[in-house]
Amino acid sequence: MKRIMATAAAAALLLSGCGGGNGGANAPANSSKDVVIGWISPDATSSTRWDTQDRPAFEKAVQTLAPGAKVIASTAPNDQAMLQQAESAITQGAKVLVINPITAEGALPVVDLAKREHVAVISYEGLIAKAHLDGYITFNNLEVGRLQAKYIVDHAAPGATVAVMNGAQVCEACIAFKKGAHEVFDPAVQSGKIKIGYEADTPNWEATKAQAQTDQALTKLDDKVDGILAANDGLAGGVIASLKARQLNGKVVVTGQDATVAGLQEILLGNQTMTVYKDLHKQAQAAAKAAVALAMGKPGETGLTDTYDNGGNAVPALFLQPMAVDRANIKQVFDDGFVTKAQICTGDVASKCDF
């Protein structure tokens, strides 16, 4: 990561230079009731978290910071739909757009549109590459991949065979997950600690495709797989379905990401081994703080204390730290209020909630 620590003053200077809603008809809001923010995220194909967890947390945080503010929220199946939704939000008076892009460069037309209309743009989770952004808020995505790969290496016997389901390589974060994993895997392969018997990028992050890829891996390797890196909990669900069909569930280390309800339940049931926990409430709250500050014309109060080179531009940024969660420390996600036992401990899982 081309990550450079910056002072708050430097971040403020960069923000003010980007134009974030500081001109024309879209002048800064005079009061919290004048704050209008557009929220655009991918649909549930890649993950259910965007609309069921991130968006509600973001909206709640905006209302806390700016009572009476309006959030125009939408989800999109593709880049073109994101552009249409951005146009709609701007027409409705949005002073800031918070966008989780589907692809690294596919949201560039959205940024071009926003800048013409003097609307600020914050890239959330995924990065919009080569764009003049007003903010970038994400987790350390290289570390996500490192945590997943390290967990497998640490829990695998010498000479273990590993399969890897990377997810689609269409966004900056997606690419970072894979790169981080190989920072751990490659030396382990060279030393003979593990063998990578199968690796694939899963189209559209679809669980059914991960299931098909796992079927292929198990057939190729004659069911002799010790660990499977699934880049998120959705893919892990597909991996587990394939393992169940061969009665291998619970016998193979399976990783994940996002600490979804389904993923946490599978960990308690013993089918998934770990997930990478990213407290998206903190991420959504940070995005709300930055968006409200920009909408109010206060770029020095965004809380974005890092900068990131997104391909020629120094973008004000904030990087949050992920953590590995397995059965031993799963209580952390409940203690943090990330999820509740009522959400997780249902059906067959209820008897496993002894914490």
Side-chain angles (χ1 to χ4, degrees):
M1 257 187 207
K2 298 176 182 176
R3 182 177 171 188
I4 312 158
M5 296 305 294
T7 64
L13 178 61
L14 286 163
L15 279 162
S16 61
C18 288
N22 288 325
N26 224 337
N30 293 318
S31 71
S32 63
K33 292 183 179 180
D34 296 326
V35 169
V36 182
I37 300 167
W39 165 279
I40 308 173
S41 63
D43 63 19
T45 301
S46 62
S47 177
T48 59
R49 63 169 274 200
W50 312 125
D51 199 43
T52 62
Q53 294 178 280
D54 293 74
R55 177 189 54 75
F58 176 78
E59 291 175 332
K60 180 179 178 180
V62 167
Q63 288 302 316
T64 298
L65 294 164
K70 181 179 181 181
V71 175
I72 302 166
S74 58
T75 63
N78 54 53
D79 295 323
Q80 182 58 36
M82 281 200 166
L83 178 58
Q84 294 169 351
Q85 290 164 356
E87 291 173 339
S88 176
I90 291 172
T91 298
Q92 295 178 68
K95 300 177 184 296
V96 181
L97 297 179
V98 178
I99 305 174
N100 181 5
I102 293 174
T103 63
E105 297 186 9
L108 283 171
V110 174
V111 181
D112 291 341
L113 168 67
K115 292 308 169 185
R116 288 197 302 270
E117 299 296 329
H118 305 287
V119 171
V121 177
I122 295 171
S123 197
Y124 182 91
E125 182 70 9
L127 180 68
I128 303 173
K130 303 175 184 178
H132 290 282
L133 300 173
D134 298 88
Y136 175 38
I137 298 170
T138 191
F139 281 80
N140 184 331
N141 294 311
L142 284 171
E143 185 64 13
V144 170
R146 294 185 195 115
L147 288 172
Q148 293 170 330
K150 186 175 186 301
Y151 195 95
I152 288 178
V153 171
D154 288 348
H155 290 79
T161 298
V162 175
V164 184
M165 311 301 163
N166 291 303
Q169 298 298 286
V170 296
C171 66
E172 187 81 6
C174 313
I175 294 166
F177 301 150
K178 181 177 179 178
K179 181 179 178 182
H182 275 280
E183 287 181 3
V184 175
F185 276 153
D186 292 351
V189 169
Q190 292 169 9
S191 70
K193 170 67 174 174
I194 66 166
K195 299 186 292 286
I196 296 180
Y198 180 95
E199 181 167 7
D201 301 339
T202 309
N204 301 320
W205 289 84
E206 291 182 24
T208 54
K209 290 185 170 67
Q211 180 176 352
Q213 289 171 333
T214 306
D215 289 342
Q216 293 168 11
L218 294 172
T219 298
K220 175 186 176 182
L221 300 169
D222 194 26
D223 287 357
K224 293 180 174 59
V225 177
D226 302 288
I228 299 179
L229 187 151
N232 74 359
D233 289 352
L235 298 187
V239 168
I240 292 165
S242 177
L243 292 173
K244 283 182 174 179
R246 300 180 186 230
Q247 297 183 323
L248 293 172
N249 55 303
K251 301 175 183 178
V252 177
V253 175
V254 178
T255 74
Q257 177 187 177
D258 292 333
T260 62
V261 168
L264 294 170
Q265 289 177 326
E266 293 290 8
I267 288 174
L268 290 170
L269 290 171
N271 297 319
Q272 184 172 325
T273 321
M274 68 85 76
T275 188
V276 176
Y277 169 42
K278 303 185 297 185
D279 191 344
L280 58 86
H281 294 154
K282 291 180 180 177
Q283 185 180 12
Q285 288 160 6
K289 179 178 179 179
V292 169
L294 290 169
M296 297 291 290
K298 300 176 180 178
E301 299 179 13
T302 60
L304 306 180
T305 54
D306 300 336
T307 62
Y308 185 86
D309 182 346
N310 75 334
N313 301 288
V315 178
L318 182 66
F319 295 94
L320 303 168
Q321 291 302 309
M323 69 177 288
V325 167
D326 60 11
R327 183 64 179 84
N329 67 340
I330 198 170
K331 187 173 180 290
Q332 183 70 48
V333 299
F334 298 96
D335 290 345
D336 287 352
F338 183 75
V339 292
T340 66
K341 283 193 174 184
Q343 291 175 287
I344 304 296
C345 302
T346 61
D348 294 342
V349 183
S351 64
K352 308 295 182 181
C353 293
D354 53 346
F355 51 83

